Amino acid sequence: EVQLVESGGGLVQPGGSLRLSCAASGFTVSSSFLSWVRQAPGKGLEWVSVIYSGGSTYYADSVKGRFTISRHNSKNTIYLQMNSLRAEDTAVYYCARELPGGYFDSWGQGTLVTVSS
Amino acid sequence: QSVLTQSPSVSGAPGQRVTISCTGSSSNIGAGYDVHWYQQLPGTAPKLLIYINNNRPSGVPDRFSGSKSGTSASLAITGLQGDDEADYYCQSYDSSLSGSVFGTGTKVTVL
């Protein structure tokens, strides 16, 4: 069974940093496409970043230069390093597996990041 | 930022049919990229509802169907039921952003 479990969320001050983790089971992250998608309170879904099986990474303009996606193959886990956090980064962050057809078939339960002083 | 536009809300009585539209542009849906749909119940993660325009994952009732034409796509729900009350999002790929894009979301209310 495919499962994704996020962790690492919490309260952080503006300008601070946080690293989110997404532990996968039931499949291998190194041969998969994995994305981070966020949802601000009461708002819609926003794609944040993707790491492809070949290692290529892409980011939404809103986080480019501040966030870094990576993976640890032996831990079967992906990460999102978030630096220079802003109030507008406050959201539930989901990791999701993307299948080659371009759709997200499996989602984690999400982890809440709150950026506030 | 959402580059796919959806109507904010639709409503219908039990048993009725409702449709949700998703309008994109020449760099996403209009460029031929596929459209996918998700259902999000309150307080839960999104769930894949339709993939590659008109395909249903195992377990999704055939009351849900999708279509795509030009720069738009739509999701239809027939035989509306109370547990269909949720937020629905379309998603595609955008070549100018080099990443996925989601619609603005539509809240479905069962009267």
Side-chain angles (χ1 to χ4, degrees), chain B residues 10-94:
Chain B
V10 295
S11 61
Q16 283 191 330
R17 178 180 188 270
V18 297
T19 60
I20 300 169
S21 63
C22 173
T23 302
S25 67
S26 58
S27 61
N28 42 68
I29 300 175
Y33 294 107
D34 294 317
V35 179
H36 323 290
W37 292 90
Y38 302 85
Q39 178 192 61
Q40 187 177 33
L41 299 171
T44 69
K47 168 194 166 186
L48 180 65
L49 198 64
I50 297 287
Y51 65 97
I52 309 179
N53 307 319
N54 56 13
N55 296 277
R56 283 176 286 106
S58 174
V60 172
D62 59 7
R63 300 186 297 104
F64 295 90
S65 62
S67 64
K68 174 193 157 186
S69 178
T71 58
S72 296
S74 63
L75 173 72
I77 309 174
T78 59
L80 200 61
Q81 298 180 0
D83 55 6
D84 295 334
E85 277 208 344
D87 294 322
Y88 293 81
Y89 295 90
C90 59
Q91 175 246 325
S92 186
Y93 178 84
D94 192 286

Side-chain angles (χ1 to χ4, degrees), chain A residues 39 44 46 102-104 107-108, chain B residues 1 36 38 40 45-46 89 91 100:
Chain A
Q39 186 170 35
E46 179 187 16
Y103 55 96
F104 302 106
W107 297 69
Chain B
Q1 67 281 15
H36 323 290
Y38 302 85
Q40 187 177 33
Y89 295 90
Q91 175 246 325
S100 293

Side-chain angles (χ1 to χ4, degrees), chain A residues 1-75:
Chain A
E1 179 195 4
V2 171
Q3 193 171 12
L4 296 163
V5 179
E6 302 96 334
S7 61
L11 175 64
V12 61
Q13 292 189 338
S17 298
L18 210 56
R19 188 180 81 157
L20 306 182
S21 301
C22 172
S25 58
F27 71 100
T28 306
V29 298
S30 61
S31 58
S32 303
F33 305 164
L34 285 157
S35 280
W36 287 95
V37 177
R38 69 183 180 183
Q39 186 170 35
K43 303 297 184 181
L45 301 172
E46 179 187 16
W47 173 80
V48 173
S49 181
V50 64
I51 183 166
Y52 289 119
S53 54
S56 299
T57 59
Y58 295 89
Y59 301 89
D61 288 343
S62 57
V63 307
K64 201 172 294 183
R66 300 187 300 123
F67 290 11
T68 303
I69 190 171
S70 63
R71 69 183 179 215
H72 195 302
N73 293 342
S74 63
K75 293 185 177 181

